[in-house]
Structure formats: structure tokens, C-alpha cells
Amino acid sequence: MISALAVAGEKPAEVRSKAGKSAYDGLLAFQLGCSAEPAADRGAFGYQAADGKLPANADATAAAVLAALGKGAVVDPGAADTPAAALPCPAGAADPAGAAQGAAGHLAEALKKDGHLTAVTPGADQPTADTGNTADAVLALVAAGHRQSAAGALEWLKKNSADWAKGNPAALGTLVLVAHATGTDPKAFGATDLVGALNATGPAPQAANAEAEKVESKDDGGSGNQNVWWIVAAGAAAGLGIGVLMSGRRKKNQL
């Protein structure tokens, strides 16, 4: 919600409920603070409480970083690059920017072991690589100004994401967004041409006016076409989120 408001040009902190609360107030309530155990979970955001405990969730944490920073999924490469740091304890007054940095610190630490995040899938005994959330973590870290902290995960994605993304427009779209955020060529992401692969999932692209397109390419050095790909990728990646939401609602209604 916060990211959607920000992308729409609204000021999320000024959009308040009848009780005077903003979406930021609701978001920060899900962050695991200095009393969280294990200590490695501190700074993460939780999702779906069980047995009275809110477990850390990588997907929620990456999304919370973007939301707390007031950003959407299209993250522009920034000049800032500082090491991600853990949530400071004892913590000061809760604020969105501080919450985002603490969450980014948690993600950076989680990526250090293998260069990627892991998850236990239904029916599995051991955790496996979580490619989707690793991509989301890279976006979150770059958005928070920690490009170097995301570098290892970026290299892992280049080498290991092809099978995960093959034929999946939402996954390919997410990787295009990762390429954009990190200044990587989306047509040479590891051994994959993400743009070509994304094109192949639908009808052959058609230019409405070939001559106008040639003029635009000459004038802006192709930046217009590049911008189109970030928009397409954002839409594809958003489709993944909507699909997950609808799936969750269907499951809930079946219970």
C-alpha cells in the first residue's frame, strides 16, 4: 500500500485513518526489534503469526524496505553505497527510514552465508535456494543504498536464475528490474537475454510506427526503449504478487 501510494505521487505519511494512524504505523508494528530471538531475526519483518509468535519472513522484509523508503519496484541505480548495518540495539524511536535500514541489514547478513536466501518448500526436509526472494533482497539493498552488500547475490542470480525464470514472465520481469537497479545489461544477464526471453513469453512485439521508433532511438540513444522495458518488467513482476495474493485468498476461502 505504501509503495503504491508513493508511486502514485501521494505522501503515505499524510494518508491517515480515522484514528489518525498512517500506513507507516501499521508497517513498523511488524518489525522484529531488539528483543527478538534468535538475534539473527532482529530487524526483519514478520508475516503470519503462529503460536503467538511473528516469524521473520524474507519476502515481507524486502517489501518492507521499499515501502519504508517510500519506493516502488523500479529502483534506480544510486550513487550511494555504504555497508548495510544491523538494527542498532538498544533501538531509538521507531521511524520508517531507520526501520528500512535495519531490515536491509538483516537481509545483507542473511545473504552472506551462501550468496542467496533459502526457504523450506512444502514437502521438503531441507531448505533450498529461494531465487525470487533473493532477487527482491537485491532490489531492497540497492534501494537502501547498499549496492556492494547486494553484489554477491547479484552474481549468484546471474549464474543460477535461468531455470527459475525460464518461460515465467513475472520472474523474468523481476530479473529485469534487478538488472536495472544494479546497472546490469538485461540482454546479458549471466548467459540470459532477459529482454528476448520476456518477449518470447507473448506475441511478437509490434512497433506502432517504425519510422517514429527509429527517430526516438536516434534522439535518445535507445533510452526510450530501455525505459519501456522497466515498465514492462514492473508490470510482469506485479503480476506475480497479484497471483500470490489471489492464490492465498482462494486457499483461505476453501478452509
Side-chain angles (χ1 to χ4, degrees):
M1 175 182 175
I2 295 173
S3 291
L5 288 170
V7 170
E10 300 291 337
K11 296 181 179 180
E14 297 178 5
V15 179
R16 295 184 174 272
S17 68
K18 292 181 180 179
K21 300 288 187 179
S22 74
Y24 284 119
D25 295 317
L27 177 66
L28 298 189
F30 288 92
Q31 186 167 35
L32 306 182
C34 295
S35 61
E37 292 296 340
D41 287 348
R42 296 173 186 176
F45 277 73
Y47 179 65
Q48 291 186 325
D51 298 325
K53 182 180 179 181
L54 190 63
N57 182 280
D59 192 18
T61 302
V65 171
L66 295 179
L69 293 171
K71 297 184 179 182
V74 180
V75 177
D76 291 326
D81 186 14
T82 59
L87 182 75
C89 291
D95 71 282
Q101 293 301 330
H106 167 80
L107 291 173
E109 189 63 30
L111 289 169
K112 284 182 179 180
K113 181 180 179 182
D114 302 306
H116 62 82
L117 299 178
T118 61
V120 179
T121 56
D125 295 327
Q126 299 295 326
T128 56
D130 188 341
T131 310
N133 281 334
T134 298
D136 291 339
V138 170
L139 291 174
L141 286 168
V142 175
H146 311 306
R147 294 172 60 186
Q148 203 53 42
S149 295
L154 172 63
E155 292 306 312
W156 185 88
L157 287 170
K158 289 180 181 180
K159 296 175 182 177
N160 298 279
S161 63
D163 288 342
W164 170 75
K166 186 175 182 180
N168 186 328
L172 289 166
T174 299
L175 293 177
V176 171
L177 293 174
V178 168
H180 175 59
T182 57
T184 305
D185 183 357
K187 294 185 178 181
F189 193 84
T192 304
D193 175 358
L194 298 175
V195 175
L198 187 56
N199 267 338
T201 64
Q206 299 292 325
N209 187 325
E211 289 302 316
E213 188 176 80
K214 288 180 181 178
V215 172
E216 180 181 340
S217 296
K218 179 183 288 186
D219 289 345
D220 63 15
S223 62
N225 291 336
Q226 291 290 343
N227 289 338
V228 168
W229 278 112
W230 310 141
I231 296 171
V232 171
L240 175 62
I242 294 171
V244 171
L245 175 61
M246 295 303 293
S247 174
R249 288 180 176 176
R250 285 196 295 270
K251 290 179 181 178
K252 183 177 180 180
N253 291 335
Q254 290 170 359
L255 295 178

